[in-house]
Amino acid sequence: MHKRMRPFTHRFRYSVFSLFLDLDELPRLTRSLPLLSHNRFNIFSFRDSDHGPRDGTPLRPWAEAQLLAAGIDLEGGALRLLCFPRILGYVFNPLSVWFCHHRNGSLRAIIYEVKNTFGEQHCYLIPVAEDNRDNKPILQSCEKKFYVSPFIEMASAYRFRLREPQESLSILIRQAVAEGEVLLATLTGRRVAIDHGGLWRALLRYPLMTAKVMAAIHWEALWIWRKGGRFYRRGAPPAQAVTRAAP
């Protein structure tokens, strides 16, 4: 769900599904599921080139390097990624969320991987504060550094409220400009197994979901423009691929 609060209201809600993947489990998972592949075409697929450095290289070394640069050593702990899969070879992920765990199981950081419709990507890496662990609500914030919507100015900030996914999923994002809050976005869901039945049900319920995501972005942008949304020009992307914020 997205709701814009100013200078006018505009709300929309769509049904989608995401994969929640442990990167180390991908080889075993894709060997056991004919509908899901890693780095090759299938009905559902996950490609390393869609995330991280986007050059097709393995994702763990990239993520660990970014975390070490922020002073975080996972010591081989789990990296779990919440994202849309490719469906019949196509995907657009407006937001993918990395949950980065230490070897002892504690959640140490979250990477918010943001893409825009111009083919660009930027990541916000935010450590998880000590008092946010043990599945308490995680509260994080950062300044906006990356152009996403042409109808929201760059001078703004994000606030995140989420929990580590368990049986349910809850992510809340608030974006504010100098005049006040401008956008509220939520992603909620319930957990089901990635198995033969689950993938078939997802295919039948959301056969063209990833194409629908891109179509919906442009459809809602048209409505915002018709309501009088102010247009902000796109500047150069950040020089650094990852913004490291304070916990």
Side-chain angles (χ1 to χ4, degrees), residues 99-112:
F99 294 85
C100 309
H101 297 79
H102 187 265
R103 182 176 58 185
N104 64 15
S106 63
L107 183 64
R108 292 297 176 88
I110 295 176
I111 302 174
Y112 300 92

Side-chain angles (χ1 to χ4, degrees), residues 125-144:
L125 189 161
I126 310 179
V128 173
E130 290 285 348
D131 59 358
N132 276 147
R133 297 173 189 169
D134 302 321
N135 203 35
K136 295 179 181 178
I138 299 166
L139 307 177
Q140 297 178 316
S141 62
C142 63
E143 297 295 317
K144 179 181 178 180

Side-chain angles (χ1 to χ4, degrees), residues 61-115:
W62 173 86
E64 289 180 334
Q66 302 304 321
L67 292 161
L68 283 173
I72 301 168
D73 186 358
L74 300 183
E75 298 185 12
L79 287 168
R80 298 188 175 104
L81 180 58
L82 181 75
C83 63
F84 296 148
R86 284 181 176 257
I87 300 179
L88 298 175
Y90 180 77
V91 71
F92 176 70
N93 268 292
L95 174 66
S96 304
V97 185
W98 299 65
F99 294 85
C100 309
H101 297 79
H102 187 265
R103 182 176 58 185
N104 64 15
S106 63
L107 183 64
R108 292 297 176 88
I110 295 176
I111 302 174
Y112 300 92
E113 183 183 88
V114 183
K115 293 180 176 66

Side-chain angles (χ1 to χ4, degrees), residues 7-233:
F8 49 80
T9 59
H10 181 77
R11 183 182 184 277
F12 57 88
R13 180 178 182 272
Y14 290 95
S15 294
V16 296
F17 79 95
S18 300
L19 298 183
F20 186 47
L21 300 169
D22 186 315
L23 297 184
D24 293 334
E25 294 179 358
L26 266 174
R28 178 191 59 79
L29 187 67
T30 54
R31 283 195 302 268
S32 65
L33 294 173
L35 293 182
L36 177 65
S37 293
H38 183 204
N39 289 333
R40 63 181 180 86
F41 180 85
N42 202 338
I43 293 175
F44 298 103
S45 58
F46 176 89
R47 289 188 177 272
D48 294 342
S49 58
D50 292 331
H51 303 281
R54 303 182 74 183
D55 58 5
T57 56
L59 296 175
R60 174 175 279 278
W62 173 86
E64 289 180 334
Q66 302 304 321
L67 292 161
L68 283 173
I72 301 168
D73 186 358
L74 300 183
E75 298 185 12
L79 287 168
R80 298 188 175 104
L81 180 58
L82 181 75
C83 63
F84 296 148
R86 284 181 176 257
I87 300 179
L88 298 175
Y90 180 77
V91 71
F92 176 70
N93 268 292
L95 174 66
S96 304
V97 185
W98 299 65
F99 294 85
C100 309
H101 297 79
H102 187 265
R103 182 176 58 185
N104 64 15
S106 63
L107 183 64
R108 292 297 176 88
I110 295 176
I111 302 174
Y112 300 92
E113 183 183 88
V114 183
K115 293 180 176 66
N116 63 25
T117 55
F118 303 97
E120 299 168 337
Q121 174 184 292
H122 189 70
C123 297
Y124 300 92
L125 189 161
I126 310 179
V128 173
E130 290 285 348
D131 59 358
N132 276 147
R133 297 173 189 169
D134 302 321
N135 203 35
K136 295 179 181 178
I138 299 166
L139 307 177
Q140 297 178 316
S141 62
C142 63
E143 297 295 317
K144 179 181 178 180
K145 301 292 185 181
F146 178 61
Y147 183 93
V148 181
S149 170
F151 300 106
I152 298 180
E153 62 190 270
M154 285 294 297
S156 62
Y158 298 115
R159 288 188 294 140
F160 306 95
R161 187 183 193 278
L162 69 162
R163 291 179 184 269
E164 184 179 355
Q166 301 292 335
E167 293 308 308
S168 62
L169 174 69
S170 177
I171 299 176
L172 169 66
I173 304 172
R174 298 179 181 272
Q175 186 173 3
V177 296
E179 294 78 16
E181 204 163 83
V182 67
L183 176 69
L184 171 67
T186 64
L187 177 62
T188 60
R190 62 181 180 86
R191 187 172 188 161
V192 297
I194 301 179
D195 55 21
H196 297 286
L199 289 175
W200 275 113
R201 286 188 291 273
L203 179 62
L204 292 173
R205 186 174 181 184
Y206 311 98
L208 298 173
M209 183 192 74
T210 52
K212 183 184 79 170
V213 168
M214 181 63 82
I217 288 170
H218 289 89
W219 175 252
E220 300 298 341
L222 176 62
W223 277 103
I224 292 169
W225 174 75
R226 290 186 64 182
K227 288 182 175 182
R230 180 180 175 184
F231 185 83
Y232 296 90
R233 294 188 178 276

